[in-house]
Amino acid sequence: MAEAKKAAFLMYKGKPLVRCGNTLYYGHMSDKCVVMMQILSTKEAHGMTMADRVQVQLLSTDPELRMKDRILKKSEKNGLYNAMDIGSIWLERTLNAEG
């Protein structure tokens, strides 16, 4: 009997990081909230295309809310590292405040 392969997500600080085009989602969809990062612009550096401007949003996963009401925090950062840094801080603080 063939075993079904589990989808192996890239993990960052113990939470899944999933990319779809220029949008990245960080966190478990079963939690109270997740982080969504949209790459707004890119730049060339050392022969590679890298994220330049990134919009970071802390989103509620409550399906009852309108998309506009799901946005808990929002910011724009230079570079993916800075976006991941603030996104992970927001997510941890919100999930830890939950109880």
Side-chain angles (χ1 to χ4, degrees):
M1 179 181 242
E3 280 188 40
K5 285 189 174 180
K6 286 186 178 180
F9 294 116
L10 177 65
M11 301 296 279
Y12 179 73
K13 295 186 178 182
K15 293 181 179 41
L17 179 64
V18 181
R19 181 178 181 174
C20 180
N22 282 340
T23 305
L24 293 97
Y25 293 92
Y26 174 60
H28 294 281
M29 292 306 281
S30 60
D31 286 342
K32 177 181 169 183
C33 56
V34 294
V35 174
M36 180 177 77
M37 293 168 277
Q38 293 179 310
I39 299 171
L40 303 175
S41 67
T42 59
K43 65 180 177 182
E44 288 289 325
H46 307 291
M48 296 175 55
T49 303
M50 303 176 83
D52 185 30
R53 288 184 23 245
V54 181
Q55 182 182 55
V56 186
Q57 295 180 350
L58 181 67
L59 301 175
S60 170
T61 56
D62 186 353
E64 306 270 323
L65 297 174
R66 295 181 307 167
M67 191 59 194
K68 181 180 173 184
D69 296 332
R70 288 184 187 188
I71 301 171
L72 305 174
K73 291 187 180 192
K74 184 176 180 178
S75 181
E76 190 174 304
K77 296 294 178 189
N78 290 323
L80 189 57
Y81 177 81
N82 293 328
M84 287 294 302
D85 192 37
I86 194 67
S88 65
I89 291 169
W90 286 350
L91 187 60
E92 285 302 316
R93 285 182 181 172
T94 302
L95 295 177
N96 288 338
E98 183 178 87

